[in-house]
């Protein structure tokens, strides 16, 4: 196959930051996707509907004039989130969910939830008003190995949460383990998951073999090969519980290539091309449209997009970096060749 046309997809997990970084990256997403769920972990975090709508206006103002891309906003769940704010989300056209970051789990998560059980009254309200909960599914206790944090979150936190709130709609974001796949497969239809391109294409050797490679460092961290194989199987299975969420996370190059080594892979520049590569590797390009364009919209109760996009088998070299007023942003696969290229949208 040398050409693939699919219904225009959506990105159900995206970071675009703010200010100059937003202006640098938003066009990459808008040329491919009809909609995207926008993460709220700014500094300070987006915690109210009013703040989310202002952030949405900033995103819309940064888009190319002809773009029809629609940002779908989320709120950052904190210990001070109120039931009244949950009601506002349920009534807000452009705000779709709450995002739970365990405190200290990833970039800008210090304001996150330290005690998940203390948030149970909020989950009860979200269940009542039909507001989805998006989870960064990792424990953060220092004694736990970083490669075990997702599994332990499922065993110690998520299993209990789903029993306590069986009607709560949950998206377990950026799956990384076989155990997470098995949990989602066995759970009720209210539980779904997103999978990133980096977790489909790479295992932890990409970060560590031959030297530290910071642009492959993300959280949850890349895992062993058998976990990657489980993710590939889930993404290409046609199971509507699994859908596209890039977790594309732009950082300035200087913040990735220093002692901080900020977590996050920037993939929005070539998201569909990267997913196409992963699906083609296992002979499953026919499954890409459902994963990318159908299942996420269905889970969120939104209409599928009417437009289409076309990929062609046409090799191209990913730029070494994208210019930004403060520095550059180094993309995933910088300077390397990709076999697929988006040619029409």
């Amino acid at each position: 196959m040398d050409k693939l046309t699919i219904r225009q997809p959506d990105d159900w997990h995206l970071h675009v930051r703010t200010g100059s970084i937003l202006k640098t990256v938003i066009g990459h997403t808008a040329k491919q996707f009809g909609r995207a769920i926008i993460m709220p972990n700014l500094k300070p975090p987006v915690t109210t509907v009013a703040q989310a709508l202002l952030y949405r206006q900033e995103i819309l103002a940064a888009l190319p004039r002809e773009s029809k891309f629609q940002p779908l906003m989320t709120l950052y769940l904190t210990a001070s989130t109120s039931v009244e704010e949950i009601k506002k989300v349920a009534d807000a056209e452009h705000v779709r969910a709450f995002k739970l970051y365990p405190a200290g789990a990833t970039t800008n998560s210090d304001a996150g939830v330290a005690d998940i059980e203390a948030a149970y009254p909020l989950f009860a309200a979200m269940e009542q008003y039909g507001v989805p909960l998006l989870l960064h599914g990792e424990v953060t206790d220092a004694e736990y190995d970083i490669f075990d944090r997702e599994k332990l979150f499922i065993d110690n936190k998520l299993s209990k949460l789903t029993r306590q709130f069986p009607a709560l709609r949950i998206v377990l974001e950026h799956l990384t383990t076989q155990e997470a796949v098995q949990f989602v497969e066995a759970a009720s239809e209210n539980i779904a998951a997103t999978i990133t391109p980096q977790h489909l294409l790479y295992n932890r050797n990409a970060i560590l073999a031959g030297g530290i490679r910071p642009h492959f460092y993300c959280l949850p961290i890349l895992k062993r090969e058998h976990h990657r194989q489980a993710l590939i199987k889930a993404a290409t299975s046609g199971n509507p519980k699994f859908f596209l969420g890039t977790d594309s996370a732009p950082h300035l190059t200087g913040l990735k290539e220093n002692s901080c080594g900020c977590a996050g892979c920037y993939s929005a520049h070539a998201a569909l091309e990267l997913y196409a590569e992963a699906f083609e590797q296992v002979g499953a390009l026919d499954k890409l449209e459902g994963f990318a364009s159908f299942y996420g919209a269905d889970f969120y109760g939104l209409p599928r997009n009417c437009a289409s996009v076309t990929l062609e088998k046409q090799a191209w070299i990913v730029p070494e970096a994208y210019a930004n007023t403060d520095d550059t942003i180094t993309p995933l696969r910088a300077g390397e060749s990709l076999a697929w290229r988006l040619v029409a949208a």
Side-chain angles (χ1 to χ4, degrees):
M1 181 184 295
D2 58 9
K3 180 180 286 189
L4 178 67
T5 298
I6 63 173
R7 193 85 64 94
Q8 187 174 36
D10 301 300
D11 187 347
W12 299 102
H13 184 153
L14 179 68
H15 300 267
V16 294
R17 313 304 185 201
T18 188
S20 65
I21 293 180
L22 166 65
K23 293 175 182 177
T24 298
V25 304
I26 191 61
H28 292 160
T29 290
K31 74 178 182 181
Q32 303 174 67
F33 298 103
R35 298 165 292 207
I37 286 281
I38 306 297
M39 293 295 105
N41 58 330
L42 304 183
K43 285 186 174 181
V46 179
T47 58
T48 69
V49 168
Q51 291 169 349
L53 295 179
L54 285 174
Y55 184 26
R56 182 174 184 271
Q57 288 304 311
E58 182 186 5
I59 294 169
L60 292 172
L63 288 168
R65 184 182 300 273
E66 71 281 0
S67 177
K68 296 180 180 179
F69 172 78
Q70 289 297 313
L72 307 175
M73 311 310 293
T74 62
L75 299 192
Y76 192 120
L77 193 74
T78 74
S80 59
T81 297
S82 67
V83 171
E84 184 59 35
E85 202 65 40
I86 293 170
K87 292 179 184 177
K88 290 181 182 178
V89 171
D91 293 334
E93 178 183 359
H94 301 299
V95 185
R96 291 289 168 175
F98 274 89
K99 177 64 181 277
L100 188 155
Y101 291 99
T106 189
T107 302
N108 298 345
S109 62
D110 292 345
V113 175
D115 180 359
I116 285 181
E117 292 192 20
Y120 273 19
L122 301 178
F123 302 150
M126 293 169 67
E127 183 180 49
Q128 178 183 354
Y129 293 108
V131 176
L133 173 66
L134 315 183
L135 288 175
H136 181 114
E138 293 189 286
V139 297
T140 57
D141 308 77
E143 66 266 28
Y144 295 135
D145 190 294
I146 192 170
F147 291 101
D148 295 331
R149 289 180 176 181
E150 184 176 90
K151 179 182 183 302
L152 290 169
F153 181 87
I154 291 168
D155 292 345
N156 300 341
K157 307 292 185 182
L158 185 56
S159 296
K160 183 177 180 181
L161 191 156
T162 54
R163 289 194 301 269
Q164 189 77 19
F165 304 101
L168 178 61
R169 293 164 61 220
I170 295 173
V171 179
L172 184 59
E173 299 201 293
H174 42 50
L175 294 194
T176 66
T177 61
Q178 182 178 36
E179 290 84 2
V181 168
Q182 292 169 342
F183 178 86
V184 173
E185 287 174 336
S188 77
E189 63 182 12
N190 293 322
I191 312 301
T194 57
I195 305 177
T196 76
Q198 65 264 25
H199 290 107
L200 289 177
L201 288 168
Y202 303 107
N203 61 38
R204 63 189 189 177
N205 284 349
I207 312 172
L208 302 170
I212 302 298
R213 302 169 71 191
H215 296 288
F216 287 93
Y217 173 57
C218 58
L219 289 172
I221 199 165
L222 300 176
K223 304 296 196 300
R224 291 181 181 270
E225 176 62 12
H226 77 273
H227 292 299
R228 188 187 75 85
Q229 292 291 339
L231 297 176
I232 283 283
K233 184 176 180 181
T236 61
S237 67
N239 186 334
K241 286 172 166 281
F242 301 102
F243 44 83
L244 185 154
T246 63
D247 193 20
S248 180
H251 290 283
L252 297 179
T253 302
L255 295 178
K256 289 289 288 181
E257 298 176 0
N258 71 3
S259 59
C260 161
C262 295
C265 298
Y266 182 63
S267 61
H269 65 294
L272 282 181
E273 292 95 331
L274 291 165
Y275 281 111
E277 179 178 308
F279 277 62
E280 185 181 38
Q281 286 176 355
V282 294
L285 278 172
D286 62 313
K287 301 293 187 181
L288 181 59
E289 185 174 42
F291 175 83
S293 309
F294 295 165
Y295 306 148
D298 295 347
F299 183 84
Y300 279 92
L302 294 169
R304 297 173 179 180
N305 294 318
C306 295
S308 63
V309 299
T310 298
L311 292 161
E312 283 189 357
K313 204 72 172 292
Q314 182 184 121
W316 62 288
I317 303 298
V318 176
E320 293 284 352
Y322 291 100
N324 181 267
T325 55
D326 300 312
D327 192 352
T328 62
I329 296 168
T330 300
L332 197 64
R333 296 281 283 273
E336 298 181 25
S337 178
L338 289 178
W340 289 92
R341 187 162 201 166
L342 184 73
V343 295

